[in-house]
Every structure is written in structure tokens, then in C-alpha cells.
Amino acid sequence: MYCAHHITRVARLSIQRVTPAVMLFCLLAAVMAPAHSAAAEVRKLPARVAAAFDLDDIIDNVRFCYDRAPEVIYFRYDRAGNRTSVEARSIDGVVRTVFVFPGMGDPNSLSCSVDGSTIAALSSQQDYLYIFQASQLSTYKIVHWRLYSVGGEYSLLSPAGSMISTLDEPTLVSGPDALAQMRFLKARLDERVFFEGGYAYIDEDNRTIDVYRYADGWKRLRSIAMPAGFGTREISRCGSHLVATVTDDNNARFLAFEPQGTVNPDWLNRIGFKALLRGFSDLVEIHGRYGRCAFPLSPKRDVRKLLLGIATLDDHGILRFAIEGPPMALSDDDIRLTKDGCYALLSAFRQVPKIPEFTMRQQAVVLKLAAPGCDF
């Protein structure tokens, strides 16, 4: 503003009226300006398909679940035997069965702790809870069950595997009592629960996001206001920040805040998130695991969900990846990253649809990312 003011004076008077000190200040400002704006520049890097497998008899919502070597877990339903297997698959295609339970599972409920030691899932009608821990399966009955959909990546089980939430407190049917070592949060039907970093974030009837912490019971710390008519779809940790994706089904907005609930409205703008979305569809969800977040880059007003690339974000800013090879179309919005940020997992149609499509064959795709520190 200082330089602009004196440039205006130069136009009105003459350049001889500008003192040498002012000229030096403005020259330094001009030199330094590109360096300042580069902090929000989005780096563009390549990505390629490292693995893909069909989802023909797999209930969707594949996700990473492992301690050291990356593995993907998912439900595989055996219609003839009426049972569901939780399978784990390595990036190079080695498959193993983790555990089996009767009937179908609710795909949104499949949850895994950060270290891969605890896996939890609900039955398709949410009347049974299954917890697999230390190579043992615990089965719980939820007596007063009501049809309920698990909202986010960490809505049933917390990242550390130490907290869990269902509509009613489960009763042990078989196996060791895994819940005895966990903090239980009873949710209401109109609430959506999201766990992260020792806190629970509860969206109650699309009004506020209430921040809770456990201290001899769950205590509310503060509330985060939301836009009127919007509900929370996901809360993810992106570096040291949390980002809530809120939507009214026609529009999406993004709230950045600290774990204790202090809102940080400018962070997404500073790292270039809002500027990047101006060129792509802004009807996205931000998903995260292991401290990194990701979201798809798709063309505006194209309901086929063509995938033009993906973007990741954390405390170091945003990286944008262009995918080598033929075009793809997403079959859902979830994009998940490995702990090192070198691989991304998504679900896509086998062929790009010409119109909006929900019944075409799908596949899980693992992308290798040329991110800093990754062997591409």
C-alpha cells in the first residue's frame, strides 16, 4: 500500500519528486513479493497406477490398515454362506483373511486404528459390533439398535483404537471384552461423531460441531458454529490442523480449526486451497489418515466425476498430482493416503461412463505418488 500510494503521486506529480529512500523501499518490496507469494504455490507432480483390483464381489469402502508394510482392507461377502470376510491385501497383491463374521457388514463402518492393531465393524443392520484385536474376535450385541450410518473414517473407532461410539452400549456375546479397555461414547440418532487425537467432535442436528474430551466422563469443551443448513460429512487431520467438510448436499464448505476447537479461518487460503479449487469442482470431501489429507480434482459441472488429478495437503502446503495413463472416473469421493504419503487409494469405474452411472463395474486403484521423499 505504501508503494502504491507513492506510485500514484508519481503519476500526478513527477518521478523526480520521489525520494531515493522511497524508491529503494519499493524496489525491495518488488523483489521480495514473488518469494512471499511462492509460499502458497501448489507444486505439480506426477502419479501413476501401481496396482488395481476388481470390486466385483467386494463391498466397497476399501481403506489402508497396517503397521509398517501398506495393506488395504475391505469386506468380501459370501452370498452362498451368508458371511462376510474382512480381507487384507498388500500392494503387490498378496491377500489374507483377517476375520469372518455371519451375515453382511455395513461398509461405512469398517474401521482400523492407526497402527493396524484394532479393526472394528458393524453388521449391515447395526445390531452387532465386531472388534478384532490381538488375533481375537469379540462379538457384541446392540439390543436397542436403530438404523444408523457411520459418518466418517474415524466415526466408529478412534485413530488410537481407544475410543468407540455406537447408538447403544453393546453387550458382549463372545470373545474377550475388548470394550473394557476403551472409552465408550453413546451417540444419538441425530448426532454424527468424529474422533481425532483424544477428542470427539459431535455434529448435533446440523447446528454446531461440539468438541468433547474424556475426563471422568465426556465433557464438552466448546462449540464451533456452522453455516445454517449445513451438516458435517467428515473431519480429518491435515498436519496440525483439522478440516471439517460441511455440506447442504448442493454446496460444500470447509472449516479449519485446531484440535481444541479454535477456528483458523485463513489457513486453507494461505496454503492455496481455495485458489486451487477455483479451477475444479468444489463439491468435494477432504479425507485424511496419518496426518495427511487428500481430495480429488474434477472438472466443474461434470457429474461423471472425471479424475483430472488429486491434491494432498498438510502443514507443508498442497501438492497436486497429475495421473499418467488413460482417464479415470471416481465411483466415490474417498481418497486415502499411506503413512509416508507415497501411495493413494481410490475407487474408480472400470470404464469412464458417458452419463452418471452407479452400476458399472468398479475397481480399487492404488496410485504411486512422486511426493518428496518417495521413490517414484
Side-chain angles (χ1 to χ4, degrees), residues 48-59:
R48 58 178 172 80
V49 176
F53 57 93
D54 292 344
L55 298 176
D56 293 340
D57 56 350
I58 294 173
I59 301 176

Side-chain angles (χ1 to χ4, degrees), residues 7 43 134 143 161-162 184 236 240 267 300 303 333 344-345 359:
I7 290 170
R43 295 180 59 184
V143 179
S162 59
F184 177 77
S236 301
S240 59
W267 179 68
K300 290 179 177 292
V303 292
D333 292 326
L345 173 68
T359 61

Side-chain angles (χ1 to χ4, degrees), residues 16-96:
Q16 288 81 6
R17 296 283 302 276
V18 181
T19 66
V22 170
M23 288 297 294
L24 178 60
F25 179 90
C26 293
L27 287 172
L28 288 174
V31 170
M32 293 173 66
H36 175 74
S37 62
E41 182 180 354
V42 177
R43 295 180 59 184
K44 298 179 183 179
L45 300 165
R48 58 178 172 80
V49 176
F53 57 93
D54 292 344
L55 298 176
D56 293 340
D57 56 350
I58 294 173
I59 301 176
D60 203 358
N61 269 338
V62 294
R63 59 202 63 210
F64 284 117
C65 177
Y66 66 99
D67 184 14
R68 296 182 180 179
E71 284 187 316
V72 173
I73 63 168
Y74 48 83
F75 287 153
R76 186 184 294 276
Y77 178 62
D78 175 9
R79 190 176 299 276
N82 188 29
R83 62 181 186 175
T84 297
S85 300
V86 175
E87 291 185 350
R89 182 188 184 104
S90 66
I91 291 177
D92 58 4
V94 177
V95 178
R96 62 186 179 91

